[in-house]
């Protein structure tokens, strides 16, 4: 009986690993297509998942999330935001509700941040205090911290801003060094506000 239980666990673990691998491959393909501005091809691939009756709720959640990111690339924020709601609807049908809620909350925050709706941004920061960042991928976490740092700088909370930027830098040094210039740009903004031109240099 114990051997059967272990066998079931191993099979289930292999299934989860394969599913995660397929999702990463899918997301990477969408990222490459979007980077080449082939947005129509991205949407076609996304619809293949959304209209496949064999797709799981989590796969559909992920597809709607990728659809949102694709529309965000072309600055169609209404479609991007709407697809996050569809992603949430699918994600809540999975066993990863906490992860889904955290990810969708952060992606909605990014859209409102890009629109520079600062009152809404502060409201969302307050609402997002209970987000579990340990469930979020490192790259998104770093971007979120750097966005929060900008609000801290605007509000004059320079020490908190510096801490968040440093945390974002340490994350990006590990997961995406190519994007570090964007994070250091936040650091330059901070030093400008502090009137420290030598550090900007």
């Amino acid at each position: 009986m114990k051997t059967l239980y272990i066998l079931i666990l191993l099979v289930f673990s292999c299934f989860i690993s394969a599913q995660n691998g397929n999702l990463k491959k899918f997301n990477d393909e969408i990222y490459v297509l979007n980077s080449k501005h082939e947005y129509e091809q991205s949407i076609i691939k996304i619809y293949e998942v959304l209209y496949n009756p064999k797709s799981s709720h989590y796969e559909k959640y992920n597809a709607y999330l990728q659809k949102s990111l694709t529309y965000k690339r072309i600055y169609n924020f209404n479609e991007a935001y709407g697809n996050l709601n569809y992603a949430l609807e699918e994600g809540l049908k999975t066993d990863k509700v906490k992860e889904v809620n955290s990810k969708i909350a952060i992606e909605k925050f990014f859209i409102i941040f890009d629109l520079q709706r600062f009152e809404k941004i502060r409201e969302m920061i307050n609402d997002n205090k209970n987000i579990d960042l340990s469930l979020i991928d490192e790259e998104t976490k770093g971007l979120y911290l750097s966005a929060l740092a900008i609000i801290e700088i605007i509000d004059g909370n320079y020490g908190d801003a510096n801490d968040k930027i440093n945390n974002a830098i340490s994350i990006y040094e590990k997961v995406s060094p190519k994007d570090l210039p964007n994070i250091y740009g936040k650091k330059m903004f901070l030093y400008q506000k502090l009137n420290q031109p030598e550090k900007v240099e």
Side-chain angles (χ1 to χ4, degrees):
M1 187 70 179
K2 187 177 180 182
T3 306
L4 179 61
Y5 179 70
I6 292 171
L7 184 61
I8 290 170
L9 275 179
L10 283 171
V11 170
F12 183 72
S13 297
C14 289
F15 172 76
I16 294 297
S17 178
Q19 187 182 43
N20 289 341
N22 288 338
L23 285 177
K24 185 181 185 313
K25 182 182 175 186
F26 174 78
N27 293 348
D28 288 345
E29 287 173 354
I30 298 299
Y31 179 83
V32 169
L33 287 170
N34 287 344
S35 296
K36 295 192 291 187
H37 310 293
E38 295 179 9
Y39 305 115
E40 290 183 4
Q41 291 302 312
S42 289
I43 297 299
I44 288 170
K45 287 190 73 67
I46 289 165
Y47 278 148
E48 287 173 359
V49 175
L50 294 177
Y51 292 105
N52 184 345
K54 294 183 180 179
S55 294
S56 68
H57 289 300
Y58 193 79
E59 286 168 331
K60 289 183 178 179
Y61 149 77
N62 181 69
Y64 277 121
L65 182 57
Q66 294 303 315
K67 193 177 174 193
S68 172
L69 295 174
T70 300
Y71 276 110
K72 188 178 170 187
R73 285 271 198 143
I74 57 175
Y75 305 104
N76 189 334
F77 294 112
N78 286 335
E79 282 289 341
Y81 202 91
N83 277 285
L84 289 178
N85 289 330
Y86 293 134
L88 180 61
E89 189 178 323
E90 289 293 336
L92 292 179
K93 298 172 186 174
T94 72
D95 60 352
K96 299 183 178 182
V97 171
K98 196 170 183 181
E99 173 197 322
V100 166
N101 277 324
S102 298
K103 179 69 172 175
I104 297 300
I106 287 177
E107 292 298 336
K108 285 185 173 181
F109 172 83
F110 286 153
I111 289 174
I112 300 303
F113 184 86
D114 286 346
L115 292 170
Q116 298 186 13
R117 292 172 53 190
F118 291 108
E119 288 308 311
K120 181 66 175 175
I121 288 169
R122 290 180 178 88
E123 182 184 316
M124 292 179 87
I125 290 172
N126 190 56
D127 291 342
N128 291 352
K129 281 182 178 175
N130 294 324
I131 280 179
D132 189 346
L133 288 178
S134 69
L135 299 173
I136 303 300
D137 64 276
E138 291 295 288
E139 201 164 339
T140 300
K141 188 192 302 182
L143 189 59
Y144 185 57
L145 288 171
S146 67
L148 292 177
I150 291 293
I151 303 303
E152 298 282 19
I153 294 169
I154 291 171
D155 291 345
N157 303 321
Y158 301 130
D160 290 338
N162 193 50
D163 290 342
K164 287 180 172 65
I165 294 170
N166 287 340
N167 285 339
I169 288 171
S170 67
I171 290 170
Y172 272 82
E173 282 175 342
K174 297 172 187 172
V175 301
S176 188
K178 71 181 190 304
D179 291 317
L180 274 171
N182 292 332
I183 309 301
Y184 280 114
K186 312 301 192 287
K187 193 79 143 174
M188 291 171 67
F189 180 47
L190 172 62
Y191 289 146
Q192 285 169 348
K193 287 291 184 180
L194 291 170
N195 195 27
Q196 296 177 338
E198 71 286 354
K199 289 189 176 180
V200 175
E201 290 290 335

